[in-house]
Amino acid sequence: MGKKEEANEAPGEQMRDFSSTTKIAPVIGQYHEKDELYDPFDHRDKKHTTSDVGSATHLIKSSLGTGILAMPSAIKNGGLLVGGIGTIIIGILCSHCVHILVRSSHVLCRRTKTPQMTYAETAGAAFESGPLAVRKYAAFAKNLVNWALCATYVGGACVYIVFIADAIKVLGDEYSGIDIPKRTYMLCLIPAVVLLGQIRHLKILVPFSVIANMSLTIGFSITLYYIFSDLKPLSEIHYVSTWAQMPKFFATVIFAIEGIGTVMPIENSMANPNHFIGCPGVLNISMTVVISLYTMMGVFGYLSFGDDAKGSITLNLPPGDILAQVVNILIALAVILTYGLQFFVPLEIIWNSIKHKFSHRWEVLGETVMRILMVLLTVSVAMLVPRLEPFISLVGAIFFSFLGIFIPAVVETVSCWECHLGTCNWRLWKNCFLALVAVCALISGTWISLLDIISLYTTPASGLVDSGNKTIVNAAVQTILSTTLGVINSTTTLSPVDLTTTVSPVDVITTLLP
């Protein structure tokens, strides 16, 4: 009788001990081989997924941008032989870093019982499930990647402003007969980019992207016609450049090829994610196409224009030709229509980190002002560095080498630390080499680019200083810079949620002011 009562009470006792917050999944970090039974792909949302062909198209499009127009300049800095072979090697290196990032994400999804992860979440999960000594840095790693992505896209948007101003200046100077300062054209772009910066839904940007892709395709085709119509003899070409130019070559190629910020969103939206890093796989096929196109454009662009190759190959086209003018119009149109998409991610990251500071009444106004200030910041930075070549190499050296090479190497090392480093710890040695390459590229590329930027303000031949070695900056430019920096300095600090310290962009920008 007692046993029967005990049996009847057992379910009630069990329910009283049950907690709705009990974690069914194992504690992160306590990973066992049986966790491989969990397939994250089976738990993903299957709605609005993309096919393998669609994913390859997105990946190629994300890597093929205005950076391809800078490839002849990159080959010029490396030399025909070193530049051509080096572009292929750098492309393979970047592809490998994407591969290890996605594979690490798959492993961490199984380990944490999570269907999918973003780039930042992958970095955070790697540290959280890694050695005990680094787990406390998980939140820092996640925030670091988020803000690195934000800074990378902001830097790219600044390059876009310079790129558009260059293209418009060619047309303006040709038809006006006046050498109008490039910064004046940048000021004229403010109304357009402010409006593009206010777009808050990706769906609205779809028509802009379609028009931009069509413009780029036509512009590239006409540019190839000019390239192959006048190739220089090999006797006038340098096969190997100087060591001083190599960091700029590496940084420019990294800037052009890298599209790691869009890799995880593309992989997460695939109908068959396991096809992404297979053999041949979506990644390998897409990057083969990208590397081939970049190498071809760089090598033949350099063979056509030689040491006169500029930061954008469109600037080498004869300004008096109608076709060349059409190319500049199409490229400028494509870039300015892509500005909103380029700036969408950083604006979302920044706003999500500060919107809790605004009440519901002031939320819309606060977001609008934030977007305007960030757009003005990109224009201001572009005015400070109005030359395309050093700007591209600077952004590539600082952001893309860190985000595209260094972080994936660290993520794989930390996630594989527990008995998964391979025979003789080969993964550890390999990733140490990748990290060393990234650090060397960051330091050397940044140093050379900064020297080039400083020379713009100290060399009379640059057009930015007069015979008295004083900087000639238009009064309107100075006003815009001062106003923008003053407003940013007076606003609330845009601090990440989990970071305790912030560095104000004003401190960095004001040091460059003459």
Side-chain angles (χ1 to χ4, degrees):
M1 189 69 180
K3 292 182 179 180
K4 185 176 181 180
E5 292 178 356
E6 182 179 354
N8 291 334
E9 293 177 0
E13 294 293 335
Q14 293 173 358
M15 290 303 296
R16 279 195 295 269
D17 293 337
F18 177 77
S19 171
S20 61
T21 60
T22 301
K23 291 184 178 180
I24 299 177
V27 178
I28 195 168
Q30 297 178 353
Y31 172 72
H32 304 285
E33 294 298 329
K34 65 180 181 180
D35 294 334
E36 295 291 341
L37 297 175
Y38 175 83
D39 189 353
F41 306 147
D42 293 337
H43 299 271
R44 291 187 177 184
D45 186 4
K46 301 298 182 181
K47 295 180 181 179
H48 308 296
T49 56
T50 55
S51 63
D52 291 355
V53 175
S55 300
T57 303
H58 287 317
L59 193 58
I60 292 173
K61 179 180 177 296
S62 66
S63 297
L64 277 179
T66 55
I68 193 172
L69 299 175
M71 284 305 299
S73 174
I75 300 297
K76 176 188 71 175
N77 290 323
L80 182 64
L81 182 62
V82 175
I85 298 175
T87 299
I88 297 175
I89 294 175
I90 294 172
I92 295 173
L93 184 146
C94 292
S95 302
H96 174 70
C97 290
V98 172
H99 179 93
I100 63 178
L101 175 66
V102 175
R103 188 167 59 83
S104 298
S105 179
H106 291 173
V107 170
L108 292 166
C109 282
R110 291 187 175 91
R111 191 176 300 182
T112 61
K113 305 295 187 292
T114 305
Q116 62 186 35
M117 292 182 180
T118 63
Y119 190 174
E121 289 169 346
T122 299
F127 277 78
E128 194 172 355
S129 62
L132 291 174
V134 302
R135 292 183 186 178
K136 59 184 177 181
Y137 300 110
F140 173 80
K142 181 178 179 179
N143 278 312
L144 178 64
V145 171
N146 260 333
W147 285 98
L149 281 170
C150 178
T152 300
Y153 283 110
V154 171
C158 296
V159 172
Y160 278 18
I161 297 294
V162 180
F163 199 98
I164 299 166
D166 273 333
I168 299 176
K169 178 176 170 57
V170 172
L171 297 172
D173 292 357
E174 177 67 21
Y175 283 98
S176 67
I178 303 173
D179 186 11
I180 302 174
K182 190 185 301 183
R183 291 188 176 100
T184 302
Y185 291 104
M186 294 180 185
L187 288 173
C188 295
L189 291 174
I190 289 179
V193 292
V194 165
L195 291 176
L196 289 170
Q198 293 300 321
I199 297 177
R200 306 177 190 191
H201 301 284
L202 282 174
K203 182 174 65 175
I204 302 176
L205 291 170
V206 172
F208 296 100
S209 296
V210 172
I211 298 174
N213 290 338
M214 294 175 59
S215 300
L216 280 175
T217 302
I218 298 173
F220 286 164
S221 301
I222 300 175
T223 303
L224 289 175
Y225 162 75
Y226 276 100
I227 288 176
F228 287 104
S229 62
D230 183 24
L231 296 178
K232 293 182 180 297
L234 295 179
S235 58
E236 299 180 14
I237 299 299
H238 296 291
Y239 287 89
V240 180
S241 184
T242 62
W243 283 106
Q245 299 295 100
M246 291 300 175
K248 288 200 293 184
F249 158 72
F250 188 89
T252 304
V253 175
I254 287 286
F255 174 88
I257 291 180
E258 265 302 354
I260 199 165
T262 59
V263 166
M264 295 311 301
I266 292 173
E267 189 274 339
N268 289 336
S269 65
M270 287 184 65
N272 299 295
N274 54 317
H275 292 175
F276 190 83
I277 56 175
C279 185
V282 171
L283 174 63
N284 293 337
I285 294 174
S286 302
M287 291 307 296
T288 299
V289 173
V290 169
I291 295 170
S292 300
L293 290 175
Y294 272 84
T295 304
M296 181 186 71
M297 178 66 84
V299 169
F300 287 102
Y302 179 55
L303 285 175
S304 178
F305 299 107
D307 291 336
D308 295 328
K310 298 181 180 179
S312 171
I313 195 173
T314 58
L315 301 178
N316 286 106
L317 304 182
D321 288 6
I322 297 297
L323 276 180
Q325 295 171 6
V326 170
V327 170
N328 280 295
I329 293 174
L330 290 173
I331 297 298
L333 178 64
V335 175
I336 195 169
L337 291 180
T338 311
Y339 180 90
L341 182 62
Q342 175 77 17
F343 219 32
F344 186 86
V345 173
L347 289 177
E348 287 294 307
I349 293 175
I350 295 172
W351 176 244
N352 288 333
S353 69
I354 66 170
K355 65 180 181 181
H356 64 278
K357 299 180 181 292
F358 296 87
S359 63
H360 180 72
R361 178 183 178 184
W362 300 103
E363 187 171 319
V364 175
L365 179 60
E367 183 176 2
T368 301
V369 172
M370 180 275 297
R371 288 173 174 270
I372 293 175
L373 290 176
M374 289 304 300
V375 168
L376 292 178
L377 177 63
T378 62
V379 177
S380 300
V381 174
M383 288 179 175
L384 289 172
V385 191
R387 293 292 176 86
L388 205 54
E389 289 183 74
F391 205 170
I392 287 178
S393 59
L394 180 65
V395 173
I398 296 178
F399 300 120
F400 286 97
S401 61
F402 177 75
L403 200 62
I405 301 176
F406 185 83
I407 293 296
V410 172
V411 166
E412 186 190 40
T413 301
V414 174
S415 61
C416 295
W417 191 262
E418 301 293 339
C419 305
H420 291 87
L421 291 176
T423 305
C424 300
N425 294 331
W426 68 268
R427 280 196 180 91
L428 176 62
W429 293 108
K430 181 259 298 181
N431 290 332
C432 285
F433 171 75
L434 291 176
L436 180 63
V437 169
V439 171
C440 290
L442 190 153
I443 295 175
S444 60
T446 302
W447 177 253
I448 296 298
S449 301
L450 288 177
L451 289 179
D452 287 347
I453 293 171
I454 292 172
S455 69
L456 297 178
Y457 288 93
T458 57
T459 305
S462 68
L464 295 180
V465 293
D466 59 9
S467 57
N469 204 31
K470 296 180 180 179
T471 308
I472 301 175
V473 182
N474 189 279
V477 176
Q478 287 284 37
T479 303
I480 289 292
L481 292 175
S482 302
T483 304
T484 303
L485 297 176
V487 172
I488 294 174
N489 197 29
S490 62
T491 53
T492 306
T493 304
L494 308 180
S495 57
V497 176
D498 293 310
L499 294 178
T500 58
T501 60
T502 58
V503 178
S504 172
V506 181
D507 297 334
V508 179
I509 296 174
T510 51
T511 58
L512 295 176
L513 286 172

